[in-house]
Amino acid sequence: MKAFFPFFILLLFSLQVIAQEEIDLSLELFANDLDSPTDIANAGDDRLFIVEKRGRIQIVDALGEKKPEPFLDITNKVNAQASERGLLGLAFHPDYIDNGYFFVNYTNGNGHTVVERYTVLADNPDLADLASAKTIITINQPRSNHNGGDINFGPDGYLYIGMGDGGGAGDQPNNALNGNELLGKMLRIDVDIENVPYDIPLDNPFVDSTNILDEIWALGLRNPWRFSFDRQGNMWIADVGQDAWEEIDFQAADSDGGENYGWSCKEGYVDYLSNRCGPDSLYTDPVFVYANNFSEGCSVTGGYRYQGCSYPRLYDHYIFTDYCTGKFWATFKCPTDTCSNDFETKQVANLQDQQYVSFGENVDGELFVAAIGLGNIYKVIETNEVFDKPVIDSTAQGLSVPDVYTDYQWYLNGAVIQGATGPSIVPVDLGEYFVEVSNRKGCKVASLSIEVNELSSIKDLNIKGLVYFSPNPTKNDMLISWNPKLNIVDLQVYDVTGNQLWKQKIDKQLQTVIPMSDFPDGMYVLKIETSEGMITEKLLKI
């Protein structure tokens, strides 16, 4: 990554948003008072773990409040003197809930990259055990910049380590294309080994090669400061450019590895040092580039493919930004063969420079971004379409929510109401009702509960002994008869979703037959409209 520019504390600022077609992206302050945050991660619960450059990891709760003690403090180990050194990356083991392992990436006193494993304290989930430190790998760094720093577990359970080319300008030693160097590469290792720090996955692409190191998964990277996996297993790499181009690289989930992203033969799509180039077929082009000109930007900060549920219009878009300008982009990978381009990228916001250095996801897939100079964490929001809790409307006809969702499921006292899968329902029992709805992306959200404590609008009339059902439940038709004291106007039968199935006006008769044999087995609601009000009764067809 480029050098972190001098930190200017801005007391007041306004985030100006440029809407691009449907997406209107902005930021909302979530947490502050952090010391040069460099990374954001979650451990499978509602906490966010914020990595601080000088060597601490802080915990922020779901409300954005920082815990009084750091989760980890290794400031005595970390060399954070140069702008691109420090505690840079954090990854929780896929089985963290069971084994308590997490991994950090930092530069040590000599400026070299160290990936280390720690264990959380058994009796305190908010504190790490300092004595549990285990060094996984140490990689020499010849200069203070281009250290990479990001680490992530892939869907295969292996640990991936993004390594920069060793610093300086132009990768003079040609580290990124040299198979005998770990610098300028994406590494893939197995850390679930008892007696050694790590092992080599047998399906790493260069295991059988004599001139490329076994740890290497992909090569030709300049400084993959931030990379991430989406929920489909695809890898997105933001590789910081030299002087002309910033780039986003993509590796599909079904890749066998071995991609060569071209640096320092290429920068972006064009030749950088053509004398280092082989045939074009050797290289994997970026899916998006933008100019390194301090107008578009100077240093790409990679993010995540949004797959949370709060903002449907952001769904499936890979969100990233630039450190210098604060411009945000969204890249969409077209899922079909009908698109003119496999990837479409649009600028979705132009926020003033806040030195955004890292993104993170919470457990629900919502996105956050860190501003290193201000010490702030922001939540990424989209204002055009928010998938929020539906509000239940209660009327004499029953309970309902807007008919704008894809799927519905109603609950009574926490239990599923069978067949209640529409936007409305007629209550047949007292208790707490709520509905869970789905949007077109398959995201689910539940409404707040509403208490139903009365099923009839007749307050004082004792109907016991005045209405008779024969039989209830029934296998066929049902005979209903009533006392002449009840001045019945009409009878109506509904299913539990509120659809009227039968209605009959009542003149002077005192009984009638409800054609239940025409109905599928299930629960139904009988509404008896009288001159004094409405009575609701439950019918059952078996």
Side-chain angles (χ1 to χ4, degrees):
M1 188 173 183
K2 301 285 193 302
F4 297 148
F5 286 57
F7 302 155
F8 296 100
I9 303 302
L10 304 179
L11 298 179
L12 294 173
F13 63 92
S14 173
L15 301 180
Q16 303 297 321
V17 178
I18 295 177
Q20 194 78 352
E21 290 193 353
E22 292 187 337
I23 295 177
D24 184 12
L25 187 147
S26 60
L27 303 180
E28 180 181 88
L29 183 63
F30 178 73
N32 57 10
D33 193 29
L34 293 152
D35 182 14
S36 301
T38 56
D39 201 10
I40 306 169
N42 78 81
D45 54 37
D46 63 1
R47 300 172 296 171
L48 284 182
F49 292 75
I50 312 299
V51 176
E52 294 179 331
K53 184 177 185 291
R54 290 176 178 83
R56 295 185 181 91
I57 298 175
Q58 307 286 356
I59 295 178
V60 174
D61 66 20
L63 299 177
E65 297 296 326
K66 185 173 69 174
K67 299 283 185 179
E69 289 186 72
F71 176 66
L72 179 73
D73 185 344
I74 54 171
T75 50
N76 61 323
K77 291 184 173 185
V78 173
N79 177 354
Q81 296 304 308
S83 62
E84 296 185 41
R85 286 175 172 168
L87 181 56
L88 305 177
L90 167 65
F92 289 91
H93 193 282
D95 294 326
Y96 176 75
I97 293 176
D98 295 324
N99 61 30
Y101 294 158
F102 66 96
F103 297 76
V104 295
N105 185 330
Y106 66 89
T107 49
N108 65 12
N110 294 319
H112 302 319
T113 290
V114 178
V115 175
E116 208 161 55
R117 189 190 80 185
Y118 286 86
T119 307
V120 68
L121 286 176
D123 59 352
N124 190 339
D126 290 340
L127 287 177
D129 180 5
L130 287 173
S132 67
K134 175 185 177 181
T135 299
I136 302 300
I137 191 171
T138 300
I139 301 172
N140 289 351
Q141 292 282 3
R143 295 178 178 83
S144 64
N145 61 338
H146 301 184
N147 298 295
D150 208 3
I151 51 175
N152 289 288
F153 281 93
D156 49 20
Y158 295 127
L159 184 66
Y160 290 72
I161 306 169
M163 294 300 303
D165 64 9
D171 189 13
Q172 294 180 14
N174 198 20
N175 290 324
L177 294 176
N178 182 353
N180 291 308
E181 289 284 349
L182 296 180
L183 299 172
K185 311 297 191 305
M186 184 64 65
L187 311 181
R188 179 183 187 242
I189 60 175
D190 183 355
V191 294
D192 290 331
I193 304 297
E194 290 298 326
N195 300 320
V196 295
Y198 69 90
D199 202 356
I200 305 296
L202 295 178
D203 59 348
N204 269 12
F206 303 113
V207 166
D208 296 326
S209 175
T210 58
N211 58 356
I212 302 181
L213 296 174
D214 293 347
E215 291 90 343
I216 295 172
W217 176 252
L219 64 161
L221 294 166
R222 182 178 180 274
N223 192 27
W225 164 246
R226 287 294 174 253
F227 70 96
S228 63
F229 290 94
D230 61 30
R231 281 162 169 71
Q232 286 70 44
N234 306 300
M235 183 193 292
W236 300 79
I237 305 171
D239 196 15
V240 179
Q242 178 66 44
D243 297 315
W245 300 103
E246 305 296 310
E247 70 180 64
I248 300 296
D249 297 313
F250 177 83
Q251 184 189 78
D254 59 0
S255 169
D256 293 325
E259 285 86 348
N260 186 332
Y261 294 105
W263 175 254
S264 56
C265 155
K266 292 178 176 292
E267 182 187 8
Y269 298 120
V270 300
D271 286 359
Y272 179 77
L273 293 174
S274 57
N275 61 319
R276 294 181 176 178
C277 293
D280 282 346
S281 59
L282 292 177
Y283 307 112
T284 299
D285 282 337
V287 298
F288 178 70
V289 301
Y290 65 91
N292 181 330
N293 56 14
F294 289 92
S295 174
E296 289 296 298
C298 78
S299 181
V300 65
T301 296
Y304 287 81
R305 186 180 185 185
Y306 178 78
Q307 295 184 298
C309 283
S310 294
Y311 310 111
R313 294 188 187 187
L314 281 186
Y315 196 84
D316 269 349
H317 287 80
Y318 173 74
I319 307 297
F320 61 99
T321 186
D322 184 84
Y323 173 81
C324 294
T325 63
K327 291 184 178 181
F328 282 70
W329 291 267
T331 293
F332 180 76
K333 183 183 186 304
C334 184
T336 70
D337 296 330
T338 60
C339 302
S340 57
N341 296 302
D342 289 340
F343 295 86
E344 296 180 357
T345 303
K346 293 180 173 63
Q347 184 182 318
V348 293
N350 187 2
L351 311 181
Q352 72 179 65
D353 171 23
Q354 299 297 326
Q355 300 168 337
Y356 304 114
V357 295
S358 190
F359 287 81
E361 291 181 306
N362 70 4
V363 67
D364 297 319
E366 301 303 326
L367 296 187
F368 298 80
V369 64
I372 190 170
L374 295 173
N376 291 341
I377 305 297
Y378 297 95
K379 185 177 182 182
V380 177
I381 62 176
E382 201 281 327
T383 57
N384 277 335
E385 184 182 13
V386 179
F387 185 43
D388 210 347
K389 292 179 181 294
V391 177
I392 297 177
D393 184 28
S394 176
T395 66
Q397 286 71 44
L399 307 177
S400 65
V401 292
D403 189 8
V404 296
Y405 303 103
T406 304
D407 296 298
Y408 305 80
Q409 178 59 65
W410 290 85
Y411 293 78
L412 171 60
N413 297 328
V416 169
I417 303 174
Q418 297 297 330
T421 56
S424 60
I425 186 173
V426 179
V428 294
D429 288 298
L430 303 181
E432 286 194 351
Y433 287 79
F434 73 88
V435 62
E436 183 181 69
V437 299
S438 301
N439 67 8
R440 64 182 184 274
K441 297 298 185 182
C443 294
K444 297 181 183 294
V445 66
S447 70
L448 296 176
S449 296
I450 186 169
E451 179 77 20
V452 175
N453 51 30
E454 181 180 322
L455 295 178
S456 172
S457 60
I458 300 178
K459 304 295 191 300
D460 302 319
L461 180 63
N462 181 6
I463 67 167
K464 187 174 182 181
L466 299 181
V467 181
Y468 310 92
F469 302 94
S470 179
N472 188 20
T474 183
K475 294 184 177 180
N476 298 296
D477 294 340
M478 182 182 296
L479 176 68
I480 174 174
S481 57
W482 54 91
N483 190 292
K485 290 182 181 180
L486 281 179
N487 184 18
I488 294 180
V489 177
D490 68 26
L491 303 173
Q492 306 164 38
V493 175
Y494 294 81
D495 64 20
V496 293
T497 66
N499 294 317
Q500 187 181 88
L501 304 179
W502 178 80
K503 180 177 180 179
Q504 182 173 317
K505 289 286 187 181
I506 302 300
D507 187 8
K508 296 180 180 179
Q509 69 265 41
L510 296 177
Q511 67 177 33
T512 189
V513 174
I514 302 174
M516 300 288 287
S517 57
D518 296 338
F519 303 161
D521 292 353
M523 186 181 298
Y524 298 90
V525 178
L526 172 66
K527 286 188 175 182
I528 305 172
E529 184 178 347
T530 76
S531 58
E532 297 180 82
M534 184 77 73
I535 304 169
T536 303
E537 289 292 323
K538 181 168 57 177
L539 308 179
L540 191 62
K541 166 72 182 303
I542 58 175

